[in-house]
Amino acid sequence: MVTVADQEEERRSSHLIYKMEVVSLPAVSRVAICGGTHGNEMTGVFLVKELQKRKRKEEGAEAPDILPVISNPRAVQRCQRYIETDLNRCFTTATLSVPVSDGTPYEIQRAQELNVFLGPKGSVKSVDLVCDLHNTTANMGLCLISYSECDWISLHICRHLQKEMPSVPVRYIHYDVPLSEAYSLESVGKHGFAMEVGPQPHGVVRADVWGTMTEGVRLVLDWIKRFNSGVQFDDKVMEIYTLVKTIDYPRDPETQMITATIHPQLQDHDFCLLHQGDPLFLTFSGNTEYYRGEEPLYPFFVNESAYYEKGIAFLLARKKKVNIPSVRVMTRESV
Amino acid sequence: MSCEVSLPEAKKVAIFGGTHGNEMSGVTLVNLWLKNRAEIRRSGVEVQPFITNPRAVEKCTRYIDIDLNRAFTPENLSKREAEDHPYEIKRALEINRIFGPKGSSDAYDVIFDLHNTTSNMGCTLILESSQDHLNLQMVHYIKQAVAPMTCSVLVNEHPFLQYSTSRSVAKHPIGLEVGPQPQGVLRSNIFQSMRLILRHALDFIELFNGGMEFPPCTVDVYQVTERVDYPRDTNGNITAMVHPNLQDCDWEPLNPGDPMFLTFDGRTVEYKGGNTVYPTFINEAAYYEKQQAFVITKRGTLIARQIKVSKM
């Protein structure tokens, strides 16, 4: 949510920085909206199914071609996160080039199919933008998660959502990973992000979360249409969250079973700044474990059910300001 | 007219966790107590913690082949253990052998079966009979002990909607259902609530076995009358969600004309029943496949007779 103080700060910063030139970017003509990358994250599944029903193309050259995709149909059918392995970890360059045989896990084969359909990753033929829809059990509001802090399209889209959805916290999370090692589906498009909305239990569709995600997707497409039609989006200073590290649960050294829950003061407090000495975990025997880091950081994905098996209780991020230049669609004249 | 019910000691008590392998509070509590029983030790009672569905717990999934908490039917329990069956039927036969046989005098006296739900049900105790005076006195004791925290009591005696639970092998089965909690997640508040309820439940049994008399009392309950499915298309896919006005409103009155579902294209579907009812299990993740968006209950008051132990 943008406060008056934020707006003031933005005005001051933009007055002080050198006015960046307008960046000309190609139109965003092909957009993939993906749901069911994790088969039990229900909002995206139903949203994509509704898009598939609607099918008719919007009028006008500015409207992008929308490709609604159910990424992991077998997992969706079983209402499970995945069948053999997490599909959303299969999009590294290495995994996309693994030779496929009968024994190759289903999700690796599916990732390669998606790479042919929406990519190939890193090539000029790939779709212009991938919007991959996810839910989380963590109290994260709406987050756009991206591998880039200089994908101006994704950042402007995020700013658009922040402005147009003031009642929902909208944040941009940056995973600083090079493209070849980027493991998730959105890395296949020229631009892309995961749209993560929570909290929602897996296997459930909540009407309030549906409302947030459908509005988010509508605004993404709305921005793209306006961008394609020639609207210039002015430069801004934006705050984003950059992943620093992950923290696991305390575990029994022999059995590896967890020995504590997320502390009640941390539970549901995603993006509330964690200071040294703040409680993190409450052990089953009633002791509190505290954050010992010196640098205050922002927790997120706090108590995501799918992350227990990945050894993650929550992630920690640093907040930073990014200067986003003005952008305008590239026309034949400006090429 | 109330008269005293004389009951034998409840000496053999079991605590079941992991009947659904992804309902984490029960799994965690039972594993904790299997390592260290100090917290569940009571004089005059043998308390056995037990993971009912270990393969589902290992995979953090509700079940492997079929829902264990529907598997204790007379038909299944009369099968032969040595034959090849779906995993949960084999487990049901084993559990019936260890803690039953269901319906016999050798069966365990009390079984607590620990569950979580994605529904906003708070703490709920589930009974399978309105005539079990030991259980009625126990839930009354627990409700008073945990106050001001509320504890609802759900009674499911419905001839078609009642199901064959793992706890039903005992003479006195009690379900503990605490939510909301997503599957696969352990929330501190939910965990502590379940732990607290069990503490008081075991205290009650110890007091009862020790000779304390429990005078007649009344227990406010919700009795299951009906289940309501999601609107679906001809292919069986759901076409609407629980309406925002109903979501998270477990135990609150649903009146005729109140919003019930919101279709994906924005239409409201209203409750068309004739009376005010009390829905629960609203939007439980595991019930989409069981054709259940929520369960309808009516409010009632049950009378628990005075009980006293009769030591043989």
Side-chain angles (χ1 to χ4, degrees), chain A residues 22-26 227 230-233 325-331 334:
Chain A
V22 178
V23 173
S24 247
L25 293 166
F227 172 77
V231 171
Q232 176 170 312
F233 291 89
S326 301
V327 297
R328 195 172 50 215
V329 72
M330 199 180 275
T331 57
S334 64

Side-chain angles (χ1 to χ4, degrees), chain A residues 42 46 49-50 53 78-80 137 200-208 210-211 249 252 255 257-264 267-268 282-286 303-306 308, chain B residues 24 27-28 31-32 35 39 59 61 118 181-189 191-192 195 230 233 237-244 247-248 262-265 283-286 288:
Chain A
M42 305 306 290
F46 284 105
K49 287 185 176 178
E50 287 296 303
K53 275 189 224 163
R78 285 164 69 166
C79 197
Q80 282 173 204
T137 58
Q200 179 170 271
H202 298 316
V204 158
V205 59
R206 285 183 64 103
D208 51 1
W210 168 264
Y249 290 93
D252 180 296
T255 62
M257 286 171 51
I258 68 170
T259 55
T261 59
I262 296 279
H263 196 279
Q267 179 68 54
D268 302 331
L282 185 61
T283 70
F284 301 144
S285 49
N303 211 347
E304 161 54 51
S305 72
Y308 282 63
Chain B
M24 303 306 292
V27 171
T28 308
N31 279 330
L32 204 63
K35 263 183 87 168
E39 205 177 320
K59 288 183 71 173
T61 188
T118 58
Q181 180 170 271
Q183 295 165 350
V185 159
L186 187 67
R187 286 182 66 102
S188 179
N189 58 335
F191 178 72
Q192 300 296 1
R195 204 172 185 176
Y230 293 94
D233 64 21
N237 302 310
I238 71 169
T239 55
M241 310 161 275
V242 170
H243 195 279
Q247 178 69 53
D248 301 334
L262 183 66
T263 66
F264 292 120
D265 50 18
N283 209 350
E284 159 55 51
Y288 282 60

Side-chain angles (χ1 to χ4, degrees), chain A residues 116-319:
Chain A
V116 167
F117 183 49
L118 301 176
K121 171 168 164 170
S123 82
V124 298
K125 289 201 237 159
S126 61
V127 294
D128 297 300
L129 190 138
V130 171
C131 174
D132 188 23
L133 305 176
H134 287 265
N135 291 117
T136 173
T137 58
N139 186 27
M140 286 171 65
L142 190 155
C143 289
L144 300 187
I145 307 178
S146 167
Y147 290 104
S148 173
E149 57 177 348
C150 52
D151 176 352
W152 310 132
I153 300 271
S154 298
L155 283 157
H156 269 285
I157 285 174
C158 184
R159 189 74 192 97
H160 185 59
L161 266 61
Q162 284 173 338
K163 258 186 66 188
E164 301 297 319
M165 296 176 76
S167 61
V168 174
V170 174
R171 299 179 179 93
Y172 191 97
I173 303 175
H174 169 226
Y175 285 19
D176 192 5
V177 172
L179 190 65
S180 61
E181 282 154 65
Y183 45 74
S184 41
L185 172 55
E186 72 274 9
S187 66
V188 171
K190 295 192 185 76
H191 309 276
F193 44 79
M195 180 182 288
E196 189 86 57
V197 184
Q200 179 170 271
H202 298 316
V204 158
V205 59
R206 285 183 64 103
D208 51 1
V209 169
W210 168 264
T212 298
M213 193 179 272
T214 48
E215 181 63 358
V217 169
R218 186 190 74 76
L219 288 168
V220 168
L221 298 173
D222 171 63
W223 187 93
I224 291 171
K225 201 167 151 187
R226 291 167 66 191
F227 172 77
N228 288 351
S229 71
V231 171
Q232 176 170 312
F233 291 89
D234 288 332
D235 58 284
K236 306 176 193 321
V237 177
M238 246 184 88
E239 277 182 340
I240 68 171
Y241 294 86
T242 300
L243 171 62
V244 171
K245 59 183 173 181
T246 66
I247 304 286
D248 192 7
Y249 290 93
R251 290 178 188 269
D252 180 296
E254 279 173 34
T255 62
Q256 285 306 300
M257 286 171 51
I258 68 170
T259 55
T261 59
I262 296 279
H263 196 279
Q265 286 180 41
L266 175 57
Q267 179 68 54
D268 302 331
H269 285 83
D270 299 70
F271 301 106
C272 294
L273 190 59
L274 203 57
H275 299 92
Q276 188 176 53
D278 284 347
L280 292 181
F281 300 108
L282 185 61
T283 70
F284 301 144
S285 49
N287 299 317
T288 298
E289 293 201 8
Y290 300 94
Y291 176 55
R292 300 207 189 288
E294 280 180 20
E295 182 189 359
L297 291 171
Y298 294 87
F300 65 103
F301 276 125
V302 177
N303 211 347
E304 161 54 51
S305 72
Y307 286 179
Y308 282 63
E309 69 175 19
K310 297 189 199 300
I312 297 172
F314 57 93
L315 286 72
L316 287 170
R318 198 175 278 135
K319 197 154 67 163

